[in-house]
């Protein structure tokens, strides 16, 4: 979380910093700030809340300079007010930080002992004073090397110095950081997205590295302070994805884009001519893999759970799934014949990255299912399966979820057929059905009016439950997460069969319960569970698929019907009304849909 920008130029930089901070807001929006150098002093401005507020404050203050750093914050240490906003500065040094300094309390004590005075409650301020302290005796390279060595935890840093009008230092351990190159100016950014309007020439810092950004060149150093060479990558310059177009929110746009993004995913992986799946350059022989572990966080974890059902159905492999923040600290039994799959939209999630890193250190087979192909998880995995769904801006993941489950389904089909667990005829039939999916999603998206009315009732409730069995269970979890994060209504997803083991006690008169019961092999069982909640007063919203057979159960409050397809693909269609329900619920409440409270798009702290 938190976004960092730095610009060293021969032109005024404040407007460009503000522009980049607006792009970085998906990483955090608790506060914003920037610092520039002019007339030999550091000028700092910070506000609580969004970048718009910072921009307005700038109108009344004359903050100029051709070199500067900026920050958007997702609070970790210290409440989100302007005092704790970044940059943090001494007379000589100004710092923006993404991450957490775990030993800040000890370092602070030491620095106070040396006479340093702290202004904020943040862990970041120790970095400012440590550098200031080292600069009393050391060169810039030595001061940075020594400071970084004494920090425990994760960080990406941007540093400005009062006495160096042509220097921004960037440093990385655990949190991503990129350097960009422009004409007589160079940049530092949390990611290439923030730099894209200025350049498409990028270098990513690896863990432990730092850089000196001058106007005309950039120097890179390893953790020992020794100069190193790094490659410059050229990224695509396509920006059209970042526009809301006719939509009120990015989330609405991203939901409606799904027929297209799924179509793109299918186009990338399905070889229609040969009726096959293209997974090129898979680095291992299929006989070398006998089990699979899928790891992710939040929505990405729900994708892993979804994939577990498909992999178990379509292949003979043992399938395990894990939440990255749990996996990284457990005593795992690493297995050479296991494939470790890391699922992440951003490719920067700290816990998922740490789990990947652990597997890499144990020399395991690692594969990333990511949207951002330049991300840390993508770069450090041995094999990548990109989801090709385009940039996702809304903090609540929608099209990336469908993208992840699409690619995981395709991967399960391919492994099934490679392992000869799935016969060619069935495989071909499934590909035929899959190719129809974008059109079915498009049809299912036309359910708006009904969902809008239903959303009103959810907003009056204290809480709600989402129930599903089999393939519908991961979708119930995902639907509940969407409602929670957008409308701040308590919502829990449960396997429908688990209700009588405890959660049924929560059901009371009028409580809205979403039951996912498509006509699949679990249908009858789920309908029985639905009756049990109706009998206890729940207001059931049944989500099923279109069929000639009527639902026989009575007292269902509302029914939404999605299009019909084979059992494997129904989860894609069931997801659509749940995304819309969460969207309209938040819209009616007037909440900030693209930036829900307390959240951030890219979770780069653990
Ligand atoms: O970028 P990632 O897919 O690794 O992110 C994982 C989660 O933080 C993310 O899916 C989160 O749960 C979303 N806000 C859900 O909408």
């Amino acid at each position: 979380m938190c976004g960092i920008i730095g610009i060293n130029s021969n032109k005024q930089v404040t407007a460009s910093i503000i522009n980049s901070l607006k792009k970085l807001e998906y990483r955090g929006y608790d506060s914003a700030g920037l610092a520039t150098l002019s007339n030999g002093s550091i000028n700092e401005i910070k506000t609580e809340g969004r970048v718009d507020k910072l921009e307005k404050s700038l109108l009344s203050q004359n903050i100029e300079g051709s070199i500067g750093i900026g920050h958007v914050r997702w609070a970790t240490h210290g409440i989100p007010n302007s005092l704790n906003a970044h940059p943090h500065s001494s007379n000589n040094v100004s710092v923006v930080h993404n991450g957490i300094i775990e030993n800040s309390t000890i370092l602070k004590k030491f620095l106070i002992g040396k006479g340093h005075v702290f202004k904020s409650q943040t862990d970041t301020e120790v970095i400012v004073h440590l550098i200031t302290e080292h600069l009393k005796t050391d060169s810039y390279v030595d001061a940075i090397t020594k400071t970084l060595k004494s920090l425990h935890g994760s960080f990406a840093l941007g540093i400005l110095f009062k006495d160096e009008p042509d220097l921004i230092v960037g440093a990385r351990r655990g949190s991503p950081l990129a350097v960009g190159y422009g004409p007589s100016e160079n940049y530092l950014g949390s990611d290439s997205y923030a730099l894209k309007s200025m350049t498409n020439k990028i270098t990513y810092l690896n863990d432990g590295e730092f850089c000196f950004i001058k106007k005309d060149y950039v120097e890179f150093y390893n953790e020992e302070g020794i100069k190193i060479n790094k490659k410059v990558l050229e990224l695509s310059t396509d920006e059209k994805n970042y526009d809301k177009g006719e939509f009120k929110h990015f989330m609405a746009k991203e939901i409606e884009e799904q027929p297209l993004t799924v179509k793109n995913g299918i186009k990338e992986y399905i070889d229609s001519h040969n009726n096959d799946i293209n997974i090129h350059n898979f680095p291992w022989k299929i006989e070398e893999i006998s089990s699979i572990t899928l790891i992710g966080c939040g929505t990405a974890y729900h994708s892993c759970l979804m994939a577990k059902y498909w992999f178990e159905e379509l292949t003979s492999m043992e399938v395990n799934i894990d939440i990255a923040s749990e996996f990284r600290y457990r005593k795992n039994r690493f297995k050479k014949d296991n494939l470790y799959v890391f699922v992440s939209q951003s490719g920067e999630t700290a816990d998922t990255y740490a789990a990947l890193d652990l597997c890499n250190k144990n020399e395991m087979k690692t594969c990333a299912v990511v949207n951002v192909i330049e991300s840390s998880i993508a770069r450090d995995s041995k094999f990548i399966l990109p989801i090709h769904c385009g940039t996702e801006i809304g903090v609540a993941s929608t099209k990336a979820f469908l993208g992840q489950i699409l690619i995981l389904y395709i991967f399960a089909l391919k492994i099934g057929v490679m392992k000869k667990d799935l016969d060619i005829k069935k495989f071909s039939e499934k590909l035929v059905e899959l190719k129809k999916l974008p059109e079915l999603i498009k049809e299912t998206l036309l359910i708006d009016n009904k969902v809008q009315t239903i959303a009103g009732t959810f907003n009056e409730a204290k809480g709600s439950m989402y129930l599903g069995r089999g393939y519908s269970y991961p979708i119930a979890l995902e639907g509940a997460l969407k409602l929670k994060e957008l409308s701040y209504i308590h919502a829990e997803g449960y396997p429908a069969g688990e209700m009588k083991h405890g959660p049924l006690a929560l059901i009371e008169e009028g409580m809205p319960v979403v039951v996912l019961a498509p006509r699949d092999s679990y249908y009858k069982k789920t309908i029985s569970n639905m009756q049990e909640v109706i009998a206890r007063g729940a207001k059931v919203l049944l989500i099923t698929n279109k069929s000639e057979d009527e639902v026989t159960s009575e007292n269902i409050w509302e029914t939404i019907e999605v299009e019909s397809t084979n059992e494997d693909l129904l989860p894609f269609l069931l997801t659509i009304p749940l995304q819309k329900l969460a969207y309209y619920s938040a819209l009616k409440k007037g909440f900030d849909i693209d930036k829900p409270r307390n959240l951030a798009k890219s979770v780069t702290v653990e």
Side-chain angles (χ1 to χ4, degrees):
M1 344 277 262
C2 299
I4 288 176
I5 181 75
I7 306 178
N8 187 359
S9 176
N10 47 24
K11 304 187 291 253
Q12 291 298 312
V13 291
T14 322
S16 305
I17 290 179
I18 290 287
N19 256 343
S20 301
L21 288 181
K22 283 184 181 166
K23 293 193 165 182
L24 282 167
E25 257 191 337
Y26 76 92
R27 303 178 71 93
Y29 33 84
D30 287 336
S31 63
L34 62 85
T36 61
L37 272 191
S38 63
N39 304 325
S41 64
I42 296 171
N43 318 298
E44 199 186 78
I45 176 163
K46 322 198 268 196
T47 51
E48 184 193 333
R50 306 284 160 93
V51 179
D52 281 348
K53 207 169 157 193
L54 179 73
E55 194 175 20
K56 280 192 193 122
S57 310
L58 267 168
L59 296 176
S60 56
Q61 292 184 46
N62 197 15
I63 303 263
E64 289 192 327
S66 58
I67 181 167
I69 51 177
H71 188 266
V72 283
R73 177 168 187 245
W74 184 82
T76 55
H77 284 57
I79 55 167
N81 58 16
S82 60
L83 187 71
N84 290 330
H86 298 215
H88 293 282
S89 312
S90 65
N91 286 339
N92 306 323
V93 178
S94 185
V95 172
V96 286
H97 168 215
N98 169 25
I100 293 178
I101 305 304
E102 288 163 0
N103 57 340
S104 61
T105 315
I106 304 170
L107 291 173
K108 194 170 175 179
K109 239 187 197 167
F110 162 77
L111 289 159
I112 289 172
K114 292 249 171 210
H116 292 263
V117 178
F118 284 76
K119 293 180 262 187
S120 75
Q121 301 157 318
T122 64
D123 51 344
T124 305
E125 223 185 323
V126 298
I127 307 169
V128 177
H129 293 289
L130 267 180
I131 299 172
T132 308
E133 185 62 28
H134 285 302
L135 279 177
K136 287 179 186 165
T137 49
D138 291 317
S139 68
Y140 281 86
V141 172
D142 288 348
I144 298 298
T145 310
K146 286 182 186 170
T147 301
L148 300 183
K149 280 193 175 173
S150 54
L151 301 177
H152 297 174
S154 70
F155 50 80
L157 302 173
I159 312 163
L160 199 62
F161 305 88
K162 179 176 115 351
D163 297 328
E164 276 296 322
D166 185 22
L167 176 63
I168 294 174
V169 170
R172 175 194 166 155
R173 190 196 297 154
S175 301
L177 202 57
V179 167
Y181 306 87
S184 301
E185 56 183 28
N186 290 312
Y187 324 100
L188 182 72
S190 289
D191 53 36
S192 56
Y193 176 51
L195 305 181
K196 247 185 172 173
S197 60
M198 300 183 285
T199 183
N200 68 332
K201 292 192 176 58
I202 300 284
T203 298
Y204 292 103
L205 263 74
N206 288 331
D207 267 356
E209 294 174 354
F210 65 92
C211 60
F212 277 28
I213 300 178
K214 305 276 192 167
K215 278 180 195 57
D216 295 319
Y217 62 95
V218 181
E219 288 170 345
F220 294 94
Y221 296 86
N222 68 13
E223 56 199 344
E224 299 306 327
I226 295 167
K227 254 193 208 169
I228 52 170
N229 293 320
K230 305 257 317 164
K231 270 193 202 144
V232 179
L233 309 172
E234 227 165 278
L235 308 178
S236 95
T237 46
D238 178 13
E239 284 242 1
K240 60 181 179 290
N241 256 332
Y242 307 151
D243 187 352
K244 259 188 271 188
E246 75 211 60
F247 295 93
K248 222 171 159 183
H249 301 99
F250 278 108
M251 183 185 179
K253 178 176 177 251
E254 286 156 8
I255 291 174
E256 298 301 326
E257 271 173 2
Q258 291 176 115
L260 185 68
T261 57
V262 168
K263 197 171 176 181
N264 287 344
I266 292 174
K267 214 164 73 193
E268 287 293 332
Y269 287 94
I270 309 290
D271 174 354
S272 287
H273 192 63
N274 295 311
N275 216 13
D276 200 357
I277 288 171
N278 288 327
I279 292 193
H280 296 302
N281 305 323
F282 191 62
W284 307 285
K285 289 196 187 107
I286 200 65
E287 309 81 65
E288 291 172 353
I289 298 170
S290 59
S291 58
I292 182 166
T293 303
L294 300 128
I295 298 166
C297 300
T299 289
Y301 171 72
H302 297 157
S303 300
C304 298
L305 178 60
M306 190 66 249
K308 179 176 167 73
Y309 284 85
W310 286 324
F311 272 97
E312 283 178 348
E313 191 61 39
L314 301 168
T315 79
S316 56
M317 289 197 298
E318 182 194 321
V319 190
N320 292 301
I321 56 166
D322 225 319
I323 291 175
S325 55
E326 291 297 313
F327 179 90
R328 64 181 291 189
Y329 291 115
R330 267 211 326 274
K331 200 169 168 194
N332 294 293
R333 311 284 183 272
F334 288 108
K335 289 190 337 192
K336 286 273 178 222
D337 61 349
N338 191 73
L339 178 65
Y340 293 85
V341 178
F342 299 88
V343 183
S344 174
Q345 187 285 128
S346 62
E348 299 294 353
T349 300
D351 285 317
T352 312
Y353 183 82
L356 163 70
D357 193 42
L358 186 66
C359 290
N360 279 340
K361 284 186 176 130
N362 282 278
E363 296 177 4
M364 293 295 110
K365 299 180 175 72
T366 56
C367 167
V369 173
V370 285
N371 195 25
V372 183
I373 51 169
E374 305 99 14
S375 62
S376 309
I377 292 175
R379 279 180 284 128
D380 289 351
S381 293
K382 290 173 188 148
F383 186 63
I384 317 176
L385 290 167
I387 66 171
H388 297 295
C389 78
T391 310
E392 188 181 66
I393 306 277
V395 165
S397 192
T398 52
K399 64 175 181 172
F401 175 65
L402 282 206
Q404 287 162 358
I405 63 173
L406 174 73
I407 275 37
L408 289 166
Y409 178 62
I410 290 174
F411 194 35
L413 286 175
K414 181 71 178 178
I415 294 206
V417 85
M418 279 161 87
K419 279 197 164 290
K420 302 197 172 48
D421 295 325
L422 181 64
D423 73 52
I424 291 287
K425 188 166 169 280
K426 266 201 183 147
F427 174 74
S428 304
E429 284 166 8
K430 285 180 188 291
L431 289 190
V432 171
E433 278 309 297
L434 183 59
K435 282 191 262 176
K436 294 180 195 158
L437 187 60
E439 209 41 51
L440 298 175
I441 295 174
K442 200 167 169 185
E443 292 291 317
T444 304
L445 281 165
L446 303 172
I447 48 167
D448 274 66
N449 290 346
K450 199 160 195 183
V451 182
Q452 285 192 45
T453 320
I454 292 168
T457 300
F458 272 74
N459 287 355
E460 288 153 21
K462 268 197 302 198
S464 73
M465 295 189 110
Y466 285 61
L467 310 180
R469 271 178 183 260
Y471 290 162
S472 304
Y473 166 49
I475 306 303
L477 294 183
E478 175 59 9
L481 178 64
K482 288 288 92 89
L483 191 74
K484 268 188 272 215
E485 62 181 340
L486 287 163
S487 66
Y488 319 147
I489 298 169
H490 184 77
E492 284 310 325
Y494 264 101
E498 268 291 292
M499 287 299 283
K500 54 189 156 307
H501 301 290
L504 206 52
L506 293 171
I507 303 291
E508 53 187 45
E509 201 57 43
M511 179 184 194
V513 174
V514 180
V515 177
L516 302 177
R519 268 73 169 199
D520 59 9
S521 40
Y522 305 90
Y523 178 62
K524 285 195 179 137
K525 300 277 176 207
T526 314
I527 292 293
S528 303
N529 298 137
M530 178 180 79
Q531 274 151 354
E532 288 158 14
V533 293
I534 291 177
R536 281 146 185 98
K539 246 181 163 176
V540 163
L541 164 61
L542 170 68
I543 303 186
T544 185
N545 58 318
K546 287 182 182 163
S547 160
E548 282 171 7
D549 305 329
E550 273 200 32
V551 181
T552 47
S553 180
E554 285 182 353
N555 299 323
I556 296 167
W557 167 53
E558 285 287 1
T559 303
I560 289 178
E561 289 182 327
V562 302
E563 296 301 308
S564 284
T565 176
N566 69 19
E567 190 160 327
D568 296 358
L569 299 178
L570 282 167
F572 289 88
L573 304 180
L574 295 175
T575 305
I576 306 292
L578 303 187
Q579 293 173 338
K580 292 214 170 205
L581 181 60
Y583 175 79
Y584 284 117
S585 165
L587 189 69
K588 278 180 192 272
K589 287 187 153 193
F591 290 161
D592 191 339
I593 292 183
D594 288 329
K595 295 188 182 93
R597 72 179 179 205
N598 304 338
L599 301 181
K601 184 74 184 154
S602 184
V603 186
T604 55
V605 292
E606 72 165 295

